[in-house]
Amino acid sequence: IRLTIKTTAPNEIYYIPTSGYVGGTYYHAYDWNVYFDDDDAVYKTRNASTIDHNGIEHTFQEAGDHKIRITPYARPFTAGWGNAFGHKNDNIGNANTAANKQKLISIDAPLTTMAFAPKTSENTSGTNASHMFANMFYGCENLTTGAKIVDTYQLPPTITNLSYFLYETHRSNTNLKEPIDLSGLSGWFSGNESITNLSYFLYQTHWENKDLKDLKDPIDLDPIEDWFRNNQKIENLSNFLHRTYYNNTALETTIDLTPLKYWFRNNQKIENLSYFLYQTNTGNFNLTSTINLTPLEEWFYKNESITDLARFLTGIHDSNNPNITSTIDLTPLKYWFINNNKITNLEYFLHSIHAGNFNLTSAINLTPLEGWFYKNESITNLSYFLSSTHQGNTILTSTINLTPLKY
């Protein structure tokens, strides 16, 4: 783990954060050599029966930029040696105060899956990899480049839980100009067919990164394109991409969903997609075009297990996308439900999707949905369906046409 921090006065203290949350727990041992650029190596250790949000303290005698390097003391390296590293999503403890978080200005080396993998000694089953990288740089306002995640550790085939992966990793990094880089993760799940839970994956990863302007490289989803190809046990994808770019006021392009094109082709067990894409682009004031759903066209074709689509697309382009001039194209959803007779929950579907898009002149076209419910007798919940869809569209010249819902 390599970092650069900036101090502004002589004899200023920096606290290395030790609030890592891999596996959904703060109880992580560490056994580290810590190298400061103004000092010799310092040996630091903590057992797994304690929690310490104060972190590792060091006083820098001179103001300016300082390099910090953290390595495992033991050789060879063991999986999860860095699990204690990371910030908390609040200001509890010296390491998690706003002032301390603001000292971090650079992540100088890739973060490896080996360093932050679950350890059997800390997760008794050895199967829980939830919360990997969660909150790690939460509130570090002076970071300008997101972390690069590199796979140096193929996940064991016994791991079942990867929920909250990258959860709020860079939330409130208000000066971030380049998002997280996932290019080193290609092939991660190749031999791991036991994973069932990916809920909250990428949830609020880039919340309020107000300097991000485009997504042309990372957060590029290409590296995860092959992830699910051989993994047929995933059941829970709720909140996937939920608020990923919430309040990124400088963003000019939406996320490209093309890498997801083949995701579900061999995965027929997914039941929960609630909140998928929920408010993904809320607060992106400079967007002029809507998200492209074409890559999702074949998603559900062979997947008959999906039951919950609550809040799918809810608020994705709501009142905070005032410059959008055309409605979202629903054509790619045309064949979605044809072979899927188990969906029961469509609550909030399309709710507020274009509320406050003041430059719209025509209403959303529902024609692609015409055949949706034809064979689907299981839907019981459509509350808020189309609720506030065009609220506040003050120059709209025609009302929404409900003819396609006739049958």
Side-chain angles (χ1 to χ4, degrees):
I1 302 169
R2 295 174 182 264
L3 311 170
T4 300
I5 64 105
K6 178 186 282 292
T7 59
T8 57
N11 299 314
E12 197 167 304
I13 298 172
Y14 176 70
Y15 301 90
I16 295 173
T18 55
S19 299
Y21 200 49
V22 179
T25 178
Y26 295 114
Y27 288 99
H28 292 297
Y30 60 76
D31 191 33
W32 295 343
N33 280 326
V34 184
Y35 300 88
F36 300 99
D37 64 1
D38 66 347
D39 206 349
D40 295 328
V42 178
Y43 173 66
K44 295 289 183 180
T45 184
R46 182 182 83 188
N47 64 47
S49 64
T50 59
I51 295 175
D52 178 17
H53 296 310
N54 287 319
I56 297 172
E57 175 182 338
H58 183 75
T59 301
F60 290 97
Q61 295 182 353
E62 297 181 4
D65 293 359
H66 302 281
K67 302 289 186 181
I68 299 172
R69 180 164 60 98
I70 304 168
T71 66
Y73 178 77
R75 298 291 191 277
F77 294 178
T78 57
W81 66 263
N83 281 349
F85 176 82
H87 285 289
K88 207 169 181 290
N89 60 353
D90 53 33
N91 60 0
I92 294 175
N94 293 331
N96 298 308
T97 63
N100 194 66
K101 290 177 178 179
Q102 288 166 9
K103 289 183 174 73
L104 180 63
I105 61 172
S106 177
I107 307 161
D108 299 333
L111 302 177
T112 68
T113 53
M114 166 67 83
F116 299 100
K119 293 173 68 176
T120 303
S121 61
E122 294 171 6
N123 301 282
T124 54
S125 64
T127 62
N128 186 5
S130 72
H131 296 84
M132 283 183 73
F133 307 105
N135 305 318
M136 186 168 285
F137 302 108
Y138 186 109
C140 296
E141 295 181 355
N142 290 316
L143 276 179
T144 57
T145 302
K148 180 180 176 68
I149 311 296
V150 174
D151 174 27
T152 56
Y153 175 73
Q154 285 289 322
L155 291 178
T158 54
I159 288 176
T160 60
N161 187 357
L162 261 178
S163 61
Y164 292 86
F165 181 76
L166 296 177
Y167 175 85
E168 296 187 340
T169 305
H170 287 295
R171 178 169 172 176
S172 298
N173 293 179
T174 51
N175 289 297
L176 204 70
K177 292 178 172 58
E178 296 182 20
I180 199 165
D181 183 352
L182 302 180
S183 60
L185 288 184
S186 183
W188 232 33
F189 293 174
S190 293
N192 294 277
E193 300 183 8
S194 299
I195 297 168
T196 61
N197 190 352
L198 272 173
S199 62
Y200 290 88
F201 180 86
L202 289 176
Y203 176 77
Q204 297 182 172
T205 304
H206 288 296
W207 172 299
E208 292 188 346
N209 294 174
K210 296 179 180 180
D211 256 8
L212 280 181
K213 288 186 170 57
D214 62 59
L215 312 171
K216 61 185 177 183
D217 291 316
I219 197 170
D220 183 354
L221 293 177
D222 286 346
I224 63 176
E225 188 167 358
D226 292 327
W227 264 23
F228 299 164
R229 187 157 287 189
N230 296 316
N231 294 275
Q232 301 183 24
K233 297 182 180 179
I234 297 168
E235 299 173 359
N236 190 350
L237 269 173
S238 66
N239 292 278
F240 180 83
L241 296 178
H242 178 182
R243 289 180 176 166
T244 304
Y245 300 109
Y246 191 94
N247 280 356
N248 289 4
T249 52
L251 204 65
E252 297 172 356
T253 55
T254 61
I255 194 167
D256 180 9
L257 299 177
T258 303
L260 306 187
K261 184 174 181 180
Y262 300 107
W263 260 23
F264 294 173
R265 183 161 285 187
N266 296 318
N267 295 277
Q268 301 183 22
K269 298 183 179 181
I270 296 169
E271 298 179 359
N272 190 350
L273 269 174
S274 62
Y275 289 85
F276 179 81
L277 294 177
Y278 175 72
Q279 294 185 342
T280 302
N281 290 123
T282 291
N284 300 170
F285 297 111
N286 288 304
L287 282 183
T288 56
S289 59
T290 57
I291 197 164
N292 178 18
L293 298 177
T294 302
L296 306 187
E297 192 162 0
E298 297 183 58
W299 256 29
F300 298 165
Y301 197 71
K302 294 181 179 180
N303 295 274
E304 301 180 8
S305 299
I306 297 167
T307 59
D308 192 351
L309 272 172
R311 284 179 166 83
F312 179 81
L313 295 179
T314 297
I316 191 170
H317 292 300
D318 65 7
S319 58
N320 293 308
N321 294 172
N323 294 311
I324 284 179
T325 56
S326 59
T327 58
I328 196 165
D329 181 9
L330 299 177
T331 303
L333 307 187
K334 185 175 181 180
Y335 299 106
W336 259 23
F337 295 172
I338 284 180
N339 295 317
N340 295 277
N341 299 331
K342 297 180 181 178
I343 296 170
T344 60
N345 189 355
L346 272 173
E347 180 185 18
Y348 288 93
F349 182 80
L350 296 179
H351 172 67
S352 299
I353 191 168
H354 289 301
N357 294 171
F358 301 112
N359 290 304
L360 288 182
T361 57
S362 59
I364 195 168
N365 178 18
L366 297 180
T367 301
L369 306 187
E370 191 163 2
W372 258 29
F373 301 160
Y374 196 71
K375 295 180 180 179
N376 294 275
E377 301 179 5
S378 299
I379 297 170
T380 58
N381 191 352
L382 270 172
S383 61
Y384 295 94
F385 178 77
L386 295 179
S387 168
S388 303
T389 300
H390 287 296
Q391 180 179 348
N393 295 176
T394 52
I395 61 173
L396 207 65
T397 57
S398 61
T399 60
I400 199 166
N401 180 11
L402 299 179
T403 302
L405 303 186
K406 182 176 180 180
Y407 298 106

